[in-house]
Each structure stands twice: as C-alpha cells, then as structure tokens.
C-alpha cells in the first residue's frame, strides 16, 4: 500500500509542469498604448512557461531610470530592465553589474537580422553584447488633428512652417496650436526635431556627435533657436505634464499638433483613430529630405545569482527578438521593428512612411547614442527654463547651449 501511494505521488509529480521562473521586468511604459504593447512581451514570455512580473514605474524615463540604477547598484537587481538605446547603462556595464548576451546573440545570429547594425553596436562594449534592442523609435514626427484644422476652417498643413503660419487662426478658434508637456525631455526632443529638420543632418552631427561649440553658436543654429521660440509661443494654454496628455489634446482636437516620437501612434490606436482620416502624420516635420533617428528601447539584464533566473533571462532576450514578438509588439507600440526580415503588411500609413525613410538610408543616431546622460540633463534643464520663462531670448539660450556642447562628453 505504501509503495502504491508513493508511486502514485511520483507519477502525479512527474505529470505536473515545472515551476515557472518569475522574472521581474522594470520599464516606464504606463500609457494606454504602451501598456497594450508591453502586454505582448509579457504574453510571449509567459508562453515559454516562465512568468513575467511587471515592474512598471509611473512617470517618464527621467523618473524611472534613477530608481532602476539605484536598485541595481544597491544589490536589489531586477531580472531585466528597459533603457533607451545608447549610453544610459554604460556605467552599469563598466561596473560589471550587467551580464552579456553573447551566447544568445551568436546562436540566433543577431548580427545578421538586427537592422540598422548601429543598434547592436550600441549594445556592444569591449566586444561583448549587453542588451537586446526591441524597437526603432523615431522622434521626428509631427502629429496633426484633422478635426482641429477643420474646426478652425483652414487646411491641414504639410510641414512645420505651415503649422507656424496657421497658429493665429487656430488660436482665434480657441485651439492650442502645439501641445508639449512641461518636461525637459519632451521640450528638448522637440528642439532636436527642429535641429534635424531645419538645420539638417550635417549640423545635427556637428552638435551632437562632434560637440562643436562654434557650430552651436553659429548662424545656422540661430535659425533653430528662432524656430524653438515659435514653438514656445504656440504652446501657450497647453498646461499638461505628460507626453500622452499632450497627445490626448491632439486626439480630442483641443490642440492642433504635437511633435513627438512614433510611440504617440499607440495612443491614437487605443482611441480608435485612423491615420489619414482622423489624424495626419508628417515624418521629419514634413520638411524636405527627412531623416529619422534610430533611437528606441533596449533591455539589459543584471547579473543574478539564481541559475534558473539567469536561464529565464536568456529566454526573455530570445523571445523579445523573435519575429512574431517583434511584429506584435511594434504594431501596438507604434515603433518599427529592429528585424529587417519580418512581415509588416499590417503596418499603418505612418509606420510605412517611417519604413520608407529607413529604406532610403536616411537614418541617423539619436542624441542618446551620442551624448552622455549628464550632458543630456544639462541641455534638458536649459530648454525647460526657456519654455518656462518668456524673458529668456533665443540668443541667450543659444549661448548657454553652446557652452554645454563645448564641454559635452
């Protein structure tokens, strides 16, 4: 009898699935569109038999990153964490706190499928791969409410200059011409969009890659700062903080436009709006010969003592880059996949515009890939002060900006 009972217990135990390995994943994706996208990653990981433990941190990356870094350096690491493409995790890697993904990358030939190659290069330090890029998020978009322009009785503009010209009519109709959240990263993002669209590729690289203070103080940059002054005047009455609140102003036609990355698409989709019908998207702010940055998001994996969790980390890295996950995630996120070999027949008009720019080779590194977090913070602070204080002239901002660029690392 005892033997029979023991045999029965062993048989039941063998039939039960292995305990799922829980892996906490921290990120700052909390808006409606972002939540829908991150759910696709969680679903794909859970399908491996593991368990995604969601570690969403409310607020922007500026709020979340210090918390993430503090946990890792303080000995309480998560299983995986989001950072933007670029140098945000550089010090953590150099301190030996992050594990490399060399084995997974080699086994799945990431070098052959990740496009553009600069994304994988940004994950590589001293010959080792430390992160998995999950998307290409282009900042260089102008989102326009078709209803807002109809309400004002004017046509939807085709570029940034048209928006500036339309501002008086929009204001007369009680519509805010340009919605921008009162946070440094949003305002500096708008500035960088203007720099690339008005100043052009060469000037953009002189400033952000070469750290050329003379160019930053020059006459071509003066045009960009003048455009930023136009933007400041068009944002009066916005009075929002978060980027998705600004997007909602466009969705509800309280604002005519927003210059924001393609993650805004997720909000339009959640609201049931259709590109080309309810809203218009202008890549490169509609200016000639548009370029887009190859910024976006990557996941890093802190070193863990638990071998089961370490194995689960590798499974998560693999599933994030699988063709199926890449399509499902990026269609919800509004971003473009990092794989060049996936089926994007379901992409909307805006994503197709972005893909055409990439296909033409008009891609460029994001500021996160060229400037240190410290320099970025300094520039954010300057632009925030400019938006908050009308007495600061474009000339004053340009002088201060050039001084920071001259000492950038």
């Amino acid at each position: 009898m005892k033997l029979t009972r023991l045999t029965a217990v062993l048989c039941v135990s063998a039939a039960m699935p292995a305990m799922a390995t829980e892996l906490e994943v921290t990120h700052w994706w909390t808006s409606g569109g972002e939540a829908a996208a991150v759910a696709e990653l969680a679903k794909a990981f859970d399908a491996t038999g593991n368990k995604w433990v969601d570690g969403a941190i409310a607020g922007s990356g500026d709020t979340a990153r210090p918390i993430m870094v503090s946990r890792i350096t303080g000995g309480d690491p998560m299983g995986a964490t989001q950072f933007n493409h670029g140098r945000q995790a550089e010090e953590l890697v150099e301190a030996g706190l992050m594990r490399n993904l060399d084995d997974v990358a080699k086994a799945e030939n990431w070098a052959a499928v990740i496009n553009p190659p600069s994304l994988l290069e940004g994950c590589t330090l001293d010959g080792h791969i430390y992160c998995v890029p999950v998307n290409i998020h282009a900042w260089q978009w102008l989102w326009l409410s078709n209803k807002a322009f109809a309400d004002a009785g004017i046509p939807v503009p085709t570029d940034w200059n048209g928006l500036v010209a339309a501002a008086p009519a929009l204001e007369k109709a009680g519509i805010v011409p340009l919605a921008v959240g009162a946070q440094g990263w949003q305002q500096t993002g708008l500035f960088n969009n203007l720099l690339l669209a008005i100043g052009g590729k060469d000037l953009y690289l002189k400033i952000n890659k070469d750290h050329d203070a003379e160019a930053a103080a020059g006459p071509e940059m003066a045009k960009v700062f003048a455009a930023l002054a136009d933007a400041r005047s068009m944002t009066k009455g916005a009075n929002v903080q978060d980027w998705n609140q600004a997007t909602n102003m466009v969705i509800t036609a309280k604002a005519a436009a927003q210059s924001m990355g393609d993650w805004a698409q997720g909000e339009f989709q959640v609201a049931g709006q259709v590109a080309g019908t309810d809203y218009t998207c202008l890549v490169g702010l509609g200016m000639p010969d548009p370029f887009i940055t190859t910024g976006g998001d990557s996941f890093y994996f802190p070193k863990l003592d638990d071998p089961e969790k370490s194995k689960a980390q590798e499974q998560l890295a693999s599933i994030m880059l699988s063709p199926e996950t890449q399509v499902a995630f990026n269609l919800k996120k509004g971003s473009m996949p990092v794989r060049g070999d996936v089926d994007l027949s379901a992409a909307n008009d805006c994503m197709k515009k972005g893909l055409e720019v990439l296909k033409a080779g008009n891609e460029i590194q994001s500021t996160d890939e060229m400037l240190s977090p410290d320099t970025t913070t300094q520039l954010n602070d300057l632009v925030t002060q400019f938006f908050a204080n009308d007495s600061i002239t474009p000339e004053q901002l340009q002088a201060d900006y050039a001084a920071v660029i001259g000492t950038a690392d």
Side-chain angles (χ1 to χ4, degrees), residues 90 94 320 335 408:
E90 189 173 75
E94 291 174 341
M320 282 178 164
S335 47

Side-chain angles (χ1 to χ4, degrees), residues 12 20 25 57 63 89 92 151 172 189 193 200 274 292 316 329 340:
V12 170
V25 185
I57 300 173
T63 300
L92 295 173
D151 290 347
K172 185 177 180 180
N193 287 351
V274 178
I292 59 175
L316 178 58
F329 169 74

Side-chain angles (χ1 to χ4, degrees), residues 233-249:
S233 66
M234 290 193 293
T235 64
K236 302 303 179 185
N239 299 323
V240 293
Q241 287 288 320
D242 296 330
W243 70 268
N244 52 307
Q245 292 175 321
T247 307
N248 188 62
M249 290 186 69

Side-chain angles (χ1 to χ4, degrees), residues 31-120:
S31 74
E34 290 173 328
V38 78
E40 294 293 339
L41 297 181
K43 181 171 68 176
F45 182 60
D46 288 352
T48 67
N50 296 299
K51 178 63 179 175
W52 174 290
V53 178
D54 200 66
I57 300 173
S60 67
D62 289 346
T63 300
R65 276 189 296 272
I67 298 171
M68 296 165 173
V69 172
S70 178
R71 282 191 53 184
I72 295 168
T73 58
D76 181 29
M78 62 295 290
T81 188
Q82 171 197 9
F83 285 107
N84 292 127
H85 298 328
R87 300 176 60 184
Q88 292 176 355
E90 189 173 75
E91 292 182 356
L92 295 173
V93 173
E94 291 174 341
L97 296 172
M98 296 299 201
R99 62 166 297 181
N100 73 59
L101 303 169
D102 293 350
D103 290 343
V104 182
K106 183 178 179 181
E108 300 186 354
N109 202 14
W110 287 3
V113 298
I114 292 178
N115 184 56
S118 61
L119 294 177
L120 192 58

Side-chain angles (χ1 to χ4, degrees), residues 266-346:
E267 302 304 299
F268 286 102
Q269 289 173 174
V270 168
Q273 295 208 338
V274 178
T277 301
D278 302 299
Y279 65 98
T280 297
C281 52
L282 301 178
V283 64
L285 310 192
M287 303 299 272
D289 194 26
F291 275 77
I292 59 175
T293 52
T294 53
D297 304 286
S298 294
F299 279 84
Y300 288 77
F301 299 81
K303 288 181 178 177
L304 302 176
D305 295 330
D306 187 332
E308 291 302 315
K309 288 186 181 292
S310 295
K311 181 180 178 182
Q313 286 178 321
E314 295 176 358
Q315 291 175 301
L316 178 58
S318 175
I319 203 68
M320 282 178 164
L321 207 55
S322 72
E324 297 79 11
T325 306
Q326 277 283 295
V327 171
F329 169 74
N330 283 291
L331 287 179
K332 293 284 179 67
K333 192 71 167 62
S335 47
M336 293 173 284
V338 301
R339 294 187 67 120
D341 60 350
V342 295
D343 179 13
L344 286 173
S345 55

